Amino acid sequence: MKATKGKVDTRKGKKEELKPVVEDRTLGKRKAAIKADNSRKKLTKKVKLGKKDANKPKRPPSAFFVFLEEFRTIYKQEHPNVKAVSAVGKAGGEKWKSLSSAEKAPYEAKAAKRKSEYEKLIAAYNKKQIRIFICRMMMGEMTKKKTETLMLSRI
């Protein structure tokens, strides 16, 4: 019996040596994670983001996503039984990496064209928003605090 106790004691001693010493550990991992999540929620409640405007133009796709639009149709024709979106994305990513800069050029040109169109649309949208903002200020619909936050968000 004494021999087994000796073995157990040596094992315990080794385990204690391997564990890092943490003095401030009062919470377990799960409780600490829950506490961290709650602190994030408090931060997000304090910083309220404005509602998204449905009339605002969407950002244009990058050259890769322009390529992916075409690649998706080709890939689905070649592999009709593959339903996973991730599989199409992975295959598209591999194909995009293998393309040379000359092969990527038409997609980059299309993306640049869409970007220029977007810039025109967003400029018109911003002008319209400024007009709306000025009209509201003149009519006195906005409080001082709201106008300050809107002005800061536009900068």
Side-chain angles (χ1 to χ4, degrees), residues 59-69 96 107-108 110-112 114-115:
R59 293 183 69 187
S62 65
F64 171 70
F65 283 103
V66 173
F67 160 77
L68 206 58
E69 288 173 359
W96 178 256
Y107 302 110
E108 290 170 352
K110 287 179 187 176
R114 288 187 186 183
K115 186 176 181 180

Side-chain angles (χ1 to χ4, degrees), residues 135-146:
C135 289
R136 286 184 181 167
M137 277 185 60
M138 294 176 106
M139 295 180 79
E141 291 180 7
M142 296 186 153
T143 62
K144 185 178 180 182
K145 192 172 185 178
K146 281 186 178 179

Side-chain angles (χ1 to χ4, degrees), residues 32-47:
I34 291 169
K35 194 171 186 179
D37 288 341
N38 290 338
S39 65
R40 285 187 203 141
K41 287 179 185 176
K42 289 178 185 175
L43 290 174
T44 55
K45 285 181 182 178
K46 289 180 184 176
V47 180

Side-chain angles (χ1 to χ4, degrees), residues 89-148:
K90 285 180 184 177
E94 290 171 6
K95 176 79 173 177
W96 178 256
K97 287 178 185 176
S98 67
L99 292 177
S100 66
S101 59
E103 292 172 324
K104 290 180 183 180
Y107 302 110
E108 290 170 352
K110 287 179 187 176
K113 184 179 176 184
R114 288 187 186 183
K115 186 176 181 180
S116 64
E117 291 171 0
Y118 168 77
E119 288 171 352
K120 290 176 187 174
L121 289 172
I122 203 73
Y125 172 81
N126 286 335
K127 283 182 184 177
K128 184 179 177 184
Q129 291 302 108
I130 290 170
R131 286 188 198 129
I132 292 169
F133 177 73
I134 291 171
C135 289
R136 286 184 181 167
M137 277 185 60
M138 294 176 106
M139 295 180 79
E141 291 180 7
M142 296 186 153
T143 62
K144 185 178 180 182
K145 192 172 185 178
K146 281 186 178 179
T147 55
E148 288 174 358

